[in-house]
Amino acid sequence: LPILLNNIAIWVISVSDRYFLAIWQPAKNVASYILSYQLAGGLITVPMGLAMTILFPKLIRIERDSGERAALDLTQKMLKYYLRYLIVIVAGASAIVIALKYFIYVRYLFDPSVIVILVLAHAVGGLSHFYNKEFELNGRTFIITKSIGVGALCNTVLNLALIPFFGASGAAIATLAAYFVTVLVIYNLSTFKFSAA
């Protein structure tokens, strides 16, 4: 059940903005936004998902051999690396998406600031992979569902508030806020407090 609810909430965050955008914007603007979103998401979430797929079995083994605290210590170490290179990741991914849209998808109008916001949103969303590990390891995954649900609610409210006035920029800001709120909620609900220091 938590996995099903997680997927619904993630769907709301990742797809609802284009439906709301379609109410107030022409189809070509919606298509450009979808392309920007998917390119940004692919450059951040695919490598992150692969890294977490490789890391998680190691965390389970460490938890079994040395306890949950040792597994979460490794997760925190990996989080520090991610935070250290976050600006480079965002700048690099933004440059790639802008180049792709400029040179390959020339028929799609685009706003570089929207692309940067979307890349940053996915990078912020990537933080949840680290903060989720406590609840994945101890089987309390419904807490993850709760955090994503709050993010999805935030996304829906902000889409309705921002898109009529700011178009694609409003949708991108709503997405960034949704991922930020998701990470903030999961962090506040965790008992193992990760630090950037």
Side-chain angles (χ1 to χ4, degrees):
L1 180 62
I3 291 171
L4 177 63
L5 294 174
N6 285 357
N7 288 335
I8 291 170
I10 290 168
W11 179 86
V12 169
I13 294 173
S14 62
V15 178
S16 67
D17 47 5
R18 61 200 67 180
Y19 291 112
F20 289 119
L21 200 57
I23 296 170
W24 290 282
Q25 295 285 311
K28 63 179 182 177
N29 291 6
V30 177
S32 180
Y33 178 84
I34 291 169
L35 181 60
S36 297
Y37 187 100
Q38 290 177 333
L39 289 171
L43 284 171
I44 299 294
T45 59
V46 171
M48 178 63 74
L50 178 62
M52 288 299 136
T53 300
I54 293 167
L55 178 63
F56 196 61
K58 184 175 183 177
L59 291 176
I60 292 172
R61 181 180 52 78
I62 291 171
E63 181 194 30
R64 186 190 66 221
D65 296 343
S66 306
E68 184 180 322
R69 177 66 193 219
L72 292 176
D73 283 341
L74 176 60
T75 304
Q76 176 155 333
K77 183 178 178 183
M78 301 308 292
L79 171 63
K80 288 178 182 178
Y81 283 119
Y82 184 72
L83 290 172
R84 184 178 301 157
Y85 296 107
L86 191 61
I87 292 173
V88 174
I89 292 167
V90 171
S94 296
I96 291 169
V97 175
I98 290 169
L100 286 171
K101 291 202 75 174
Y102 187 79
F103 292 110
I104 296 175
Y105 298 102
V106 292
R107 291 186 166 191
Y108 291 87
L109 297 173
F110 71 96
D111 179 350
S113 66
V114 169
I115 291 171
V116 173
I117 294 168
L118 287 171
V119 169
L120 181 60
H122 287 289
V124 168
L127 291 169
S128 65
H129 288 290
F130 301 99
Y131 297 120
N132 288 349
K133 289 299 170 269
E134 174 184 344
F135 305 106
E136 291 171 355
L137 289 170
N138 63 28
R140 296 168 60 213
T141 54
F142 199 76
I143 291 176
I144 299 170
T145 303
K146 183 186 293 186
S147 69
I148 299 171
V150 173
L153 179 63
C154 170
N155 183 253
T156 302
V157 170
L158 288 177
N159 275 330
L160 289 169
L162 297 176
I163 288 174
F165 302 103
F166 303 107
S169 296
I173 291 167
T175 300
L176 174 59
Y179 282 123
F180 179 79
V181 166
T182 298
V183 171
L184 186 63
V185 170
I186 198 75
Y187 177 81
N188 285 330
L189 292 173
S190 64
T191 55
F192 182 92
K193 292 300 181 188
F194 291 83
S195 68

